[in-house]
Amino acid sequence: MDLHFGDSKPTDEERAAIDALLGPPESSWEGADRSDADLRWARGGREARERRDLLLPGLHAVNDRIGWISEGALDYLCRRLTVPPAEAYGVATFYAMFSMKPRPATVLHVCTDLACAAAGASELCAGVEARLGLGSGVAVERSPCLGLCERAPAALAIKAGDPVRTAVSAPATVERAVLAASSPDSAPEEPSAALAVPQAAEAGREELVLLSRVGVVDPASLDDYRAHGGYTALRQAFAIGPAGVIREVTDAGLVGRGGAAFPTGRKWQATASQPDHPHYLVCNADESEPGTFKDRVVLEGDPYSLVEAMTIAGYAVGAHKGYLYLRGEYPRALERMEHAIGQARARGLLGDDVLGQGYAFDIEIRRGAGAYICGEETALFNSIEGYRGEPRSKPPFPVEKGLFGKPTAENNVETLVNVLPILTMGAQAYAAIGTGKSTGPKLFCVSGSVDRPGIYELPFGATLGELLDLAGVRKRLRAVLLGGAAGGFVRPDELDIPLTFEGTREAGTTLGSGVVLAFDDTVPLPRLLLRIAEFFRDESCGQCVPCRVGTVRQEEALHRIVDRTGAEAASDITLLREVGRAMKDASICGLGQTAWNAVESAIDRLGAYE
């Protein structure tokens, strides 16, 4: 593909897709068909650069309408946004959900990651590929985790058009997946989000805090949400002021639920105190860690809670604009959040004067497009700004220079919705839940070889064994993966590990974002480790050498030893340790730093290749 402006022209449909997003061209300079009247006018400089963040939505617009992005469409989008085509090409090819080559309008993504692999994803893929061969009008793509682990194996069909149509098949069979791809509108409706919360059907439901409304409240009804306590926390926030909100969050001991466990109050205070303006709030809903699906359940089952929580966070840090970065594989979550934000805006709960308090705040949704690395906060900022989703070096930290170079507070969905009970029950009562260092309730994503997979809400301090008892382990337990692909394995005799950040750290593993993947003795562990290595190799952004090269070498070594044991594998295990140390010590971000964790724990704790 020519990386300069070429002679390719967009089709009428491609042009219409872009113009629907950006509006009609204001001059022929943007439309590429210049006339004498336009020779003295062109948008440029600061005004042009400020539109760069519309590049990712523009790529989505074309991909949604056509199914792929042609050279003509990319050139037209670049002219409209004054973005060099070479840079736009680099952005478009960064994301797995976009295609720069012609492909059918319908794409069927079949998950091959950990939970689905254990549930027969390879057989599902083979069956679907046999049924949907050449000439079927459907492209079958083997996909990383789709966030449907509690219903594994899973498939997602996307049919381009105006509007784009989607259909989820989970648990998927060959017949269901083929039906979803052939006729998305005829596919069975997805089950309620409440089915992903096993505790919702049990007598102890009243003990739920974060998930109390899932399955009880109509996710489309703002009135129903308010009737069940909605917007009580926001009114309390306005009563105590921004400093009071930050004080409550700090006193409650809330730490980030994405895995880093950084104190939320400190982050908000640091952002609020910055003299540079404007300030921004970013909600990271791009949960792409294999085995993670808690954010999806909250977004689908209780969307107004996130709208309220983001409004409170924005008020606390002095932000008037919030961005919700939502992973592209969550079509129902996108629909629910768009509706919730629209209803809140129409009812005066977002906009220029929230609840009549003189505070202006609004939320904009930005869709990801299939890039695990965008879960890293600075990579996420780059993605929103219209650049490749590559992590930035720190310092400066996001609280000083984050999104658009301005002070930014970034939190994930679970962290933000914890703010609601903090304000309604008070910091002291909230801190009494859990342990002294890990306070409050925690959401755990349990899947794999269990009878009742789903999201479980437990206070910090419950043991791994207690959690697995609730989920019901099938057959003979072989291993448990804590923290997802970036986490570590533990043995069946280590189930007394307390599920706290400090407890898992003392046990030599990690809690991460709350992933708990159970595997019985029928799951081939070497193949599982190889899949983890493939995942990191594929998801590495390639910016730094330790990760770019190390993830490839790790996968190569595992390929060599997957059928060998004992002395024959010893040299490659030594190589794996050296590569792992290099990635952990020298990678620029958490992807490379944790890419070796699961493999290391499998070798050391499980004796995977002995």
Side-chain angles (χ1 to χ4, degrees):
M1 176 182 247
D2 185 1
L3 300 185
H4 302 280
F5 284 118
D7 298 326
S8 299
K9 303 292 184 184
T11 65
D12 290 343
E13 202 169 2
E14 291 169 338
R15 186 186 294 268
I18 294 170
D19 289 350
L21 173 73
L22 303 178
E26 295 182 14
S27 83
S28 297
W29 281 84
E30 289 189 4
D33 298 319
R34 301 177 190 169
S35 66
D36 291 343
D38 293 301
L39 291 180
R40 298 192 178 190
W41 187 98
R43 174 182 276 112
R46 182 186 300 275
E47 189 177 1
R49 289 192 297 272
E50 287 178 349
R51 306 177 76 208
R52 174 69 182 251
D53 70 294
L54 295 175
L55 179 58
L56 183 56
L59 294 171
H60 268 298
V62 176
N63 199 71
D64 285 349
R65 182 80 67 94
I66 312 300
W68 67 288
I69 302 165
S70 71
E71 183 176 353
L74 188 68
D75 270 10
Y76 181 66
L77 179 60
C78 289
R79 290 185 188 278
R80 293 296 316 273
L81 298 178
T82 322
V83 173
E87 293 186 22
Y89 181 81
V91 172
T93 54
F94 187 82
Y95 299 98
M97 297 185 74
F98 296 149
S99 175
M100 301 301 294
K101 297 179 180 178
R103 67 179 178 185
T106 301
V107 179
L108 181 66
H109 300 271
V110 182
C111 180
T112 58
D113 245 315
L114 305 181
C116 289
S122 58
E123 293 81 4
L124 174 63
C125 285
V128 169
E129 288 167 348
R131 289 278 296 275
L132 298 173
L134 293 176
S136 68
V138 177
V140 180
E141 295 187 359
R142 299 191 175 213
S143 169
C145 185
L146 294 174
L148 295 161
C149 314
E150 85 280 14
R151 290 183 272 144
L156 169 65
I158 302 176
K159 185 175 184 178
D162 184 21
V164 63
R165 292 173 172 82
T166 62
V168 167
S169 178
T173 63
V174 173
E175 290 72 22
R176 291 174 189 162
V178 170
L179 174 62
S182 304
S183 180
D185 292 335
S186 302
E189 187 178 350
E190 276 195 81
S192 164
L195 290 183
V197 185
Q199 291 163 303
E202 299 173 359
R205 182 189 180 97
E206 62 275 5
E207 297 178 4
L208 297 179
V209 176
L210 304 178
L211 301 176
S212 62
R213 282 183 288 261
V214 177
V216 174
V217 170
D218 178 0
S221 173
L222 176 56
D223 289 332
D224 203 8
Y225 174 72
R226 297 182 76 166
H228 287 81
Y231 283 95
T232 303
L234 180 58
R235 292 185 183 279
Q236 175 64 12
F238 283 137
I240 63 178
V245 172
I246 294 175
R247 183 173 58 252
E248 286 289 292
V249 170
T250 303
D251 292 346
L254 177 64
V255 298
R257 301 299 202 244
F262 189 84
T264 304
R266 281 176 55 192
K267 180 184 288 190
W268 288 11
Q269 180 60 53
T271 306
S273 63
Q274 294 297 319
D276 193 14
H277 286 275
H279 295 179
Y280 289 104
L281 172 75
V282 175
C283 175
N284 182 351
D286 191 50
E287 55 170 5
S288 303
E289 185 73 49
T292 309
F293 51 97
K294 56 188 173 66
D295 290 352
R296 172 182 62 80
V297 174
V298 173
L299 295 172
E300 293 179 353
D302 193 15
Y304 289 103
S305 67
L306 181 62
V307 176
E308 182 182 6
M310 287 184 67
T311 308
I312 293 170
Y315 177 65
V317 303
H320 298 288
K321 181 69 174 287
Y323 286 89
L324 170 59
Y325 191 90
L326 179 62
R327 68 175 304 197
E329 295 91 341
Y330 284 177
R332 186 164 70 170
L334 173 64
E335 177 188 343
R336 296 272 169 88
M337 290 308 304
E338 285 179 336
H339 177 78
I341 290 170
Q343 288 294 302
R345 190 179 293 130
R347 301 275 288 273
L349 298 168
L350 288 175
D352 294 335
D353 187 13
V354 176
L355 277 177
Q357 297 292 319
Y359 168 62
F361 183 76
D362 212 339
I363 298 172
E364 183 175 341
I365 298 176
R366 289 297 175 91
R367 279 194 292 160
Y372 170 76
I373 190 63
C374 288
E376 197 278 337
E377 59 184 0
T378 60
L380 186 155
F381 300 155
N382 277 341
S383 181
I384 292 176
E385 292 176 21
Y387 297 92
R388 288 169 63 89
E390 296 173 342
R392 305 172 184 173
S393 297
K394 302 175 189 176
F397 294 98
V399 296
E400 301 168 314
K401 292 188 179 297
L403 186 65
F404 304 119
K406 299 297 182 178
T408 304
E410 183 267 356
N411 296 106
N412 73 353
V413 173
E414 185 186 355
T415 306
L416 287 169
V417 296
N418 267 276
V419 175
L420 304 182
I422 289 174
L423 292 181
T424 54
M425 69 171 58
Q428 187 174 359
Y430 179 92
I433 302 172
T435 66
K437 294 183 179 179
S438 296
T439 63
K442 177 76 182 80
L443 300 182
F444 297 95
C445 309
V446 185
S447 59
S449 304
V450 295
D451 295 321
R452 296 176 294 280
I455 302 295
Y456 288 84
E457 179 184 321
L458 293 175
F460 275 113
T463 67
L464 177 58
E466 291 170 343
L467 175 59
L468 291 176
D469 285 342
L470 290 175
V473 178
R474 295 198 304 260
K475 300 181 181 179
R476 182 171 166 271
L477 188 64
R478 169 78 186 276
V480 179
L481 180 59
L482 282 179
F489 286 95
V490 298
R491 300 186 305 271
D493 61 351
E494 297 178 299
L495 301 186
D496 58 347
I497 294 175
L499 294 174
T500 61
F501 292 111
E502 64 276 12
T504 51
R505 195 160 44 242
E506 290 171 4
T509 184
T510 178
L511 191 62
S513 60
V515 175
V516 178
L517 268 163
F519 299 105
D520 59 35
D521 54 7
T522 65
V523 177
L525 191 58
R527 178 59 220 170
L528 208 64
L529 297 178
L530 185 55
R531 174 61 196 135
I532 291 173
E534 290 170 348
F535 173 81
F536 281 114
R537 182 262 305 152
D538 189 52
E539 296 293 346
S540 172
C541 75
Q543 180 181 196
C544 66
V545 173
C547 180
R548 182 176 71 239
V549 177
T551 52
V552 174
R553 295 292 172 262
Q554 177 172 267
E555 183 190 359
E556 290 173 345
L558 287 172
H559 266 296
R560 286 194 298 268
I561 67 177
V562 73
D563 294 322
R564 292 183 289 146
T565 57
E568 293 181 343
S571 60
D572 275 317
I573 290 176
T574 300
L575 174 64
L576 280 171
R577 294 189 187 280
E578 293 175 354
V579 169
R581 278 196 299 270
M583 288 194 291
K584 187 174 293 188
D585 292 342
S587 294
I588 196 173
C589 81
L591 188 149
Q593 293 163 11
T594 61
W596 154 245
N597 286 1
V599 179
E600 179 184 32
S601 65
I603 293 172
D604 292 343
R605 300 178 91 122
L606 305 179
Y609 297 110
E610 292 179 356

